[in-house]
Protein backbone atom coordinates (compact mmCIF):
# COMPACT_ATOMS: atom_id res chain seq x y z
CA UNK A 1 0.00 0.00 0.00
CA UNK A 2 1.12 3.56 -0.70
CA UNK A 3 2.43 5.27 2.42
CA UNK A 4 1.93 8.88 3.47
CA UNK A 5 4.57 11.20 4.94
CA UNK A 6 3.76 14.56 6.57
CA UNK A 7 6.72 16.93 6.36
CA UNK A 8 6.84 20.25 8.21
CA UNK A 9 9.14 22.99 6.98
CA UNK A 10 8.80 21.45 3.53
CA UNK A 11 9.41 24.64 1.55
CA UNK A 12 13.22 24.64 1.84
CA UNK A 13 16.32 22.87 3.15
CA UNK A 14 15.99 19.43 4.71
CA UNK A 15 12.22 19.38 4.32
CA UNK A 16 12.31 20.14 0.62
CA UNK A 17 15.03 17.55 -0.01
CA UNK A 18 13.03 14.96 1.93
CA UNK A 19 9.92 15.76 -0.12
CA UNK A 20 11.86 15.06 -3.31
CA UNK A 21 13.29 11.83 -1.91
CA UNK A 22 9.99 10.40 -0.71
CA UNK A 23 8.13 11.52 -3.84
CA UNK A 24 10.67 9.71 -6.02
CA UNK A 25 9.99 6.55 -3.99
CA UNK A 26 6.25 6.78 -4.59
CA UNK A 27 5.09 8.03 -1.21
CA UNK A 28 2.03 10.24 -0.82
CA UNK A 29 3.03 13.66 0.58
CA UNK A 30 1.52 16.20 2.95
CA UNK A 31 3.77 19.25 2.69
CA UNK A 32 3.40 21.85 5.43
CA UNK A 33 5.14 25.24 5.56
CA UNK A 34 4.40 28.94 5.94
CA UNK A 35 5.51 29.92 2.42
CA UNK A 36 2.66 28.64 0.29
CA UNK A 37 4.16 29.93 -2.96
CA UNK A 38 7.23 27.76 -2.41
CA UNK A 39 5.00 24.77 -1.69
CA UNK A 40 3.15 25.36 -4.94
CA UNK A 41 6.43 25.51 -6.85
CA UNK A 42 7.60 22.28 -5.22
CA UNK A 43 4.38 20.47 -6.09
CA UNK A 44 4.70 21.63 -9.68
CA UNK A 45 8.29 20.37 -9.78
CA UNK A 46 7.38 16.98 -8.31
CA UNK A 47 4.26 16.44 -10.42
CA UNK A 48 1.60 13.94 -9.43
CA UNK A 49 -0.64 16.56 -7.87
CA UNK A 50 -3.19 13.97 -6.74
CA UNK A 51 -0.50 12.47 -4.50
CA UNK A 52 0.58 15.76 -2.89
CA UNK A 53 -1.45 17.82 -0.44
CA UNK A 54 -0.24 21.30 0.46
CA UNK A 55 -0.85 22.60 3.96
CA UNK A 56 0.05 26.29 4.46
CA UNK A 57 0.88 26.21 8.15
CA UNK A 58 2.74 28.04 10.88
CA UNK A 59 3.55 25.25 13.35
CA UNK A 60 3.49 27.80 16.19
CA UNK A 61 -0.30 28.11 15.78
CA UNK A 62 -1.74 25.40 18.01
CA UNK A 63 -5.33 25.67 16.76
CA UNK A 64 -4.23 25.75 13.11
CA UNK A 65 -2.28 22.52 13.63
CA UNK A 66 -5.20 20.73 15.28
CA UNK A 67 -7.85 21.98 12.87
CA UNK A 68 -5.70 21.52 9.78
CA UNK A 69 -4.83 17.95 10.67
CA UNK A 70 -8.48 17.06 11.22
CA UNK A 71 -9.33 18.66 7.85
CA UNK A 72 -6.82 16.63 5.81
CA UNK A 73 -8.49 15.00 2.80
CA UNK A 74 -9.30 11.32 3.26
CA UNK A 75 -6.44 9.96 1.10
CA UNK A 76 -3.91 11.86 3.26
CA UNK A 77 -5.42 11.31 6.70
CA UNK A 78 -3.52 8.12 7.51
CA UNK A 79 -0.03 9.47 8.22
CA UNK A 80 2.58 6.71 8.28
CA UNK A 81 5.51 9.05 8.92
CA UNK A 82 5.58 12.43 10.63
CA UNK A 83 8.78 14.35 9.91
CA UNK A 84 9.04 17.20 12.41
CA UNK A 85 11.52 19.28 10.44
CA UNK A 86 10.31 22.88 10.88
CA UNK A 87 12.76 24.78 13.05
CA UNK A 88 15.26 27.62 13.04
CA UNK A 89 18.14 29.33 14.80
CA UNK A 90 18.17 33.09 15.24
CA UNK A 91 21.24 35.09 16.16
CA UNK A 92 24.52 34.27 17.89
CA UNK A 93 24.47 36.93 20.58
CA UNK A 94 25.47 36.02 24.14
CA UNK A 95 22.54 35.47 26.45
CA UNK A 96 22.69 38.91 28.08
CA UNK A 97 22.50 40.72 24.73
CA UNK A 98 20.12 38.55 22.79
CA UNK A 99 16.74 39.61 21.42
CA UNK A 100 13.98 38.01 23.50
CA UNK A 101 11.78 37.89 20.40
CA UNK A 102 14.37 35.58 18.82
CA UNK A 103 14.35 33.32 21.86
CA UNK A 104 10.57 33.20 21.88
CA UNK A 105 10.34 32.37 18.18
CA UNK A 106 12.83 29.50 18.55
CA UNK A 107 10.97 28.10 21.55
CA UNK A 108 7.60 28.40 19.82
CA UNK A 109 8.82 26.79 16.60
CA UNK A 110 11.41 24.25 17.70
CA UNK A 111 9.63 23.05 20.83
CA UNK A 112 5.95 23.92 20.73
CA UNK A 113 5.59 23.23 17.01
CA UNK A 114 7.08 19.76 17.43
CA UNK A 115 4.74 18.97 20.32
CA UNK A 116 1.64 20.27 18.50
CA UNK A 117 2.22 18.14 15.41
CA UNK A 118 3.20 15.08 17.39
CA UNK A 119 0.12 15.30 19.60
CA UNK A 120 -2.10 15.67 16.55
CA UNK A 121 -0.69 12.66 14.71
CA UNK A 122 0.09 10.15 17.47
CA UNK A 123 -3.43 9.02 18.47
CA UNK A 124 -4.18 7.58 15.03
CA UNK A 125 -0.77 5.91 14.89
CA UNK A 126 -1.33 4.26 18.26
CA UNK A 127 -4.84 3.20 17.23
CA UNK A 128 -3.42 1.55 14.07
CA UNK A 129 -0.41 0.25 16.04
CA UNK A 130 1.81 1.51 13.24
CA UNK A 131 3.70 4.66 12.36
CA UNK A 132 6.92 6.57 12.78
CA UNK A 133 7.80 10.02 14.15
CA UNK A 134 11.16 11.36 12.97
CA UNK A 135 12.33 14.56 14.61
CA UNK A 136 15.11 16.73 13.23
CA UNK A 137 17.30 17.60 16.19
CA UNK A 138 20.85 18.95 16.06
CA UNK A 139 24.33 18.35 17.38
CA UNK A 140 23.63 21.63 19.21
CA UNK A 141 21.40 19.61 21.52
CA UNK A 142 24.48 17.67 22.66
CA UNK A 143 27.38 20.09 22.36
CA UNK A 144 27.13 23.74 23.52
CA UNK A 145 28.81 26.64 21.76
CA UNK A 146 28.94 30.40 22.40
CA UNK A 147 25.74 32.02 21.22
CA UNK A 148 23.90 28.70 20.94
CA UNK A 149 22.03 29.32 24.22
CA UNK A 150 18.30 28.89 23.47
CA UNK A 151 18.74 27.19 20.10
CA UNK A 152 20.83 24.45 21.74
CA UNK A 153 18.29 24.27 24.56
CA UNK A 154 15.43 23.71 22.12
CA UNK A 155 17.30 20.90 20.38
CA UNK A 156 18.14 19.29 23.73
CA UNK A 157 14.39 19.32 24.34
CA UNK A 158 13.80 17.58 21.00
CA UNK A 159 16.27 14.87 22.01
CA UNK A 160 14.65 14.21 25.39
CA UNK A 161 11.13 14.52 23.96
CA UNK A 162 12.01 11.86 21.38
CA UNK A 163 13.36 9.52 24.06
CA UNK A 164 10.36 10.02 26.30
CA UNK A 165 7.95 9.46 23.42
CA UNK A 166 9.61 6.12 22.80
CA UNK A 167 9.23 5.28 26.49
CA UNK A 168 5.51 6.12 26.29
CA UNK A 169 5.12 4.02 23.13
CA UNK A 170 6.78 0.88 24.47
CA UNK A 171 4.45 -2.01 23.69
CA UNK A 172 3.25 -0.43 20.45
CA UNK A 173 4.69 -0.68 16.94
CA UNK A 174 5.08 3.09 16.66
CA UNK A 175 8.68 4.18 16.19
CA UNK A 176 10.42 7.43 17.18
CA UNK A 177 13.78 8.64 15.87
CA UNK A 178 15.83 11.78 16.40
CA UNK A 179 18.22 12.78 13.59
CA UNK A 180 20.92 15.21 14.73
CA UNK A 181 22.79 16.97 11.89
CA UNK A 182 25.87 19.05 12.48
CA UNK A 183 27.08 21.79 10.13
CA UNK A 184 24.85 21.69 7.05
CA UNK A 185 24.59 24.22 4.24
CA UNK A 186 20.99 25.10 3.52
CA UNK A 187 19.15 28.29 4.46
CA UNK A 188 19.98 27.67 8.12
CA UNK A 189 22.74 30.27 8.50
CA UNK A 190 20.98 32.77 6.23
CA UNK A 191 18.02 32.64 8.60
CA UNK A 192 20.27 32.74 11.68
CA UNK A 193 21.96 35.91 10.39
CA UNK A 194 18.66 37.38 9.20
CA UNK A 195 19.40 37.45 5.49
CA UNK A 196 23.10 38.35 5.63
CA UNK A 197 24.33 36.05 2.84
CA UNK A 198 28.00 37.01 3.23
CA UNK A 199 27.99 36.22 6.94
CA UNK A 200 26.18 32.96 6.29
CA UNK A 201 28.72 31.92 3.63
CA UNK A 202 31.58 32.40 6.10
CA UNK A 203 30.20 29.57 8.23
CA UNK A 204 30.96 27.06 5.47
CA UNK A 205 34.08 28.64 3.92
CA UNK A 206 36.77 26.08 3.17
CA UNK A 207 34.62 23.10 4.21
CA UNK A 208 32.45 20.44 2.65
CA UNK A 209 29.38 20.70 4.91
CA UNK A 210 26.44 18.32 4.99
CA UNK A 211 23.78 19.00 2.37
CA UNK A 212 19.98 18.74 2.58
CA UNK A 213 20.25 15.72 0.27
CA UNK A 214 22.56 13.99 2.77
CA UNK A 215 19.96 14.39 5.49
CA UNK A 216 17.15 13.30 3.18
CA UNK A 217 19.06 10.09 2.43
CA UNK A 218 19.46 9.43 6.16
CA UNK A 219 15.80 10.14 6.96
CA UNK A 220 14.69 7.88 4.12
CA UNK A 221 17.00 5.10 5.30
CA UNK A 222 15.74 5.31 8.89
CA UNK A 223 12.11 5.38 7.73
CA UNK A 224 12.51 2.29 5.56
CA UNK A 225 14.24 -0.05 8.00
CA UNK A 226 12.30 -3.19 8.98
CA UNK A 227 9.41 -2.28 11.30
CA UNK A 228 11.00 -3.98 14.31
CA UNK A 229 14.10 -1.72 14.05
CA UNK A 230 13.99 1.64 15.85
CA UNK A 231 16.87 4.09 15.39
CA UNK A 232 16.68 6.09 18.60
CA UNK A 233 19.24 8.79 17.79
CA UNK A 234 21.52 9.34 14.83
CA UNK A 235 24.13 12.11 15.09
CA UNK A 236 25.90 13.04 11.87
CA UNK A 237 28.62 15.56 11.00
CA UNK A 238 30.62 16.53 7.96
CA UNK A 239 34.13 15.08 7.95
CA UNK A 240 35.28 18.70 8.32
CA UNK A 241 33.61 19.07 11.72
CA UNK A 242 34.51 17.59 15.08
CA UNK A 243 34.60 18.46 18.79
CA UNK A 244 36.82 21.19 20.17
CA UNK A 245 38.85 21.05 23.39
CA UNK A 246 37.22 22.42 26.53
CA UNK A 247 37.36 26.21 26.50
CA UNK A 248 39.46 27.74 29.27
CA UNK A 249 39.60 31.44 30.08
CA UNK A 250 42.99 32.51 31.42
CA UNK A 251 43.47 35.87 33.02
CA UNK A 252 46.73 37.76 32.76
CA UNK A 253 48.91 37.42 35.91
CA UNK A 254 48.38 41.02 36.89
CA UNK A 255 44.60 40.59 36.69
CA UNK A 256 44.70 37.53 38.93
CA UNK A 257 47.03 39.13 41.50
CA UNK A 258 45.18 42.42 41.51
Amino acid sequence: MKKTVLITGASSGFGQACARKFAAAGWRLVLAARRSERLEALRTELGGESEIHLWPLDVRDRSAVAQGFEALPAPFRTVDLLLNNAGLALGLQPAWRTDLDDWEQMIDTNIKGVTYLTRAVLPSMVERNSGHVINIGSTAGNWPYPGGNVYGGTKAFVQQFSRNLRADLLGTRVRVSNIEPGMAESEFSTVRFKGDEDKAAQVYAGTAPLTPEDIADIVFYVANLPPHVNVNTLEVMSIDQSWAPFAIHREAKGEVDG
Side-chain angles (χ1 to χ4, degrees), residues 1 14 42 87-88 103 109 121 133 140 144 156-157 194 228 254:
M1 291 179 61
F14 299 159
L42 182 58
L88 77 167
W103 277 11
T109 305
V121 173
V133 177
F157 171 87
K194 302 182 179 180
H228 70 285

Side-chain angles (χ1 to χ4, degrees), residues 163-242:
R163 290 173 173 174
N164 282 277
L165 284 176
R166 188 68 198 97
D168 284 350
L169 291 162
L170 183 64
T172 76
R173 306 289 287 178
V174 180
R175 300 185 289 174
V176 182
S177 303
N178 185 35
I179 310 301
E180 301 177 338
M183 180 176 61
E185 188 170 13
S186 58
E187 293 184 12
F188 178 84
S189 290
T190 303
V191 172
R192 162 165 266 171
F193 296 120
K194 302 182 179 180
D196 189 330
E197 297 283 356
D198 292 336
K199 203 168 184 178
Q202 292 172 21
V203 175
Y204 313 108
T207 72
L210 299 174
T211 68
E213 290 71 28
D214 294 329
I215 303 307
D217 287 345
I218 291 168
V219 169
F220 188 79
Y221 164 76
V222 169
N224 285 281
L225 287 168
H228 70 285
V229 178
N230 191 89
V231 173
N232 299 322
T233 304
L234 196 161
E235 182 184 87
V236 55
M237 294 181 181
S238 159
I239 198 69
D240 289 330
Q241 186 179 26
S242 187

Side-chain angles (χ1 to χ4, degrees), residues 112-128:
K112 292 182 180 179
V114 169
T115 63
Y116 296 160
L117 266 298
T118 302
R119 183 60 180 82
V121 173
L122 265 187
S124 60
M125 287 185 174
V126 172
E127 184 179 354
R128 298 192 315 270

